[in-house]
Amino acid sequence: MEKVMNVLKPKPNPQQLLRDWQRRLRQECRNIERQIRDIQREEKKVQKAIKEAAKRNDMGSAKSLAKEIVRSQRTVNRLYENKAQLNSISMHLGESVAIARTVGHLSKSAEVMKLVNNLMKAPEVAITMQEFSKEMTKAGVMEEMVNDAVDSALDSEDMEEEIEEEVDKVLTTIAGETTAQLPQAVRKEKLKQPAQAVEEAEDDEEDLEELRARLAKVRS
């Protein structure tokens, strides 16, 4: 009976499909904008903590927090790229519908297929893009494709090296320190730190760990 109902149910026309897809794409863009705002809000707290750590001459903690800033900035850049690609998909879909008015059906779009395939590899929108891929394949906008998973572990070492290089710039901007000065600064800190300050340092480390955890959460 269900199969019969599906056969009898009128298929949505290209304009209806486009409106639905564009509405969902706009919602996804708003979700990305919200995530960017959340990350940037937490970043400001981490920047403040870096300055405070530098004042205490605790450059080990400052460097650790600077790494989190670098990772967050990379995430924000990736999110902006995702948003731009979502907008491109919406634009190309509009062009496909304009052509459909002439030929009477939706045609395949190589650009849409390429953009959707790229976004299926982005963790923030992968699930949504998988749904879009199925729907657009069914509507004739895309061909069925296999999502090529990217093993991020393969280039993790190179990424860590790049992050280390960027940490120096972040520290220079925020705390006025460079990674070249860190080893000496850390040694000085160990010599200057009195025994009674150990408990205080542990409390600071707990606060910093909480900051790192919050920033990692909004990035995920």
Side-chain angles (χ1 to χ4, degrees), residues 184-198:
Q184 184 181 0
V186 172
R187 284 197 298 273
K188 283 181 181 178
E189 173 63 16
K190 287 181 178 178
L191 289 171
K192 287 163 59 180
Q193 187 177 29
Q196 61 265 33
V198 172

Side-chain angles (χ1 to χ4, degrees), residues 3-146:
K3 289 182 179 179
V4 174
M5 292 300 293
N6 287 335
V7 171
L8 295 176
K9 186 179 178 181
K11 292 183 179 180
N13 61 42
Q15 285 79 12
Q16 288 173 328
L17 285 171
L18 174 67
R19 281 195 295 270
D20 180 55
W21 289 336
Q22 288 184 323
R23 175 184 58 78
R24 289 158 61 192
L25 288 167
R26 285 194 298 271
Q27 180 59 51
E28 205 61 42
C29 284
R30 285 194 291 270
N31 291 342
I32 287 174
E33 289 167 359
R34 183 166 57 250
Q35 188 176 359
I36 289 171
R37 287 195 300 271
D38 290 343
I39 292 172
Q40 291 174 337
R41 184 167 57 248
E42 291 300 325
E43 268 187 16
K44 288 179 181 177
K45 297 175 185 176
V46 175
Q47 288 171 3
K48 183 180 178 183
I50 289 173
K51 290 177 182 177
E52 291 171 351
K55 287 177 183 177
R56 297 193 307 270
N57 204 22
D58 182 6
M59 299 310 298
S61 295
K63 183 177 179 181
S64 175
L65 290 170
K67 282 185 180 180
E68 297 302 322
I69 291 283
V70 171
R71 291 191 180 99
S72 294
Q73 289 173 345
R74 285 174 167 236
T75 299
V76 167
N77 289 339
R78 189 175 68 244
L79 287 169
Y80 276 124
E81 289 174 7
N82 292 348
K83 182 185 172 185
Q85 291 186 76
L86 289 170
N87 286 328
S88 292
I89 291 173
S90 182
M91 181 188 71
H92 286 298
L93 286 174
E95 293 171 356
S96 295
V97 171
I99 295 171
R101 291 195 186 100
T102 304
V103 299
H105 60 84
L106 285 169
S107 302
K108 288 181 174 60
S109 170
E111 280 300 319
V112 169
M113 187 170 176
K114 178 182 175 183
L115 289 164
V116 171
N117 192 36
N118 285 342
L119 286 169
M120 283 173 70
K121 300 170 188 175
E124 298 85 3
V125 293
I127 295 175
T128 301
M129 286 300 105
Q130 286 169 8
E131 294 172 359
F132 267 87
S133 176
K134 291 176 184 176
E135 293 174 18
M136 291 178 184
T137 299
K138 189 176 180 181
V141 177
M142 290 172 46
E143 292 178 356
E144 191 170 354
M145 59 186 177
V146 178

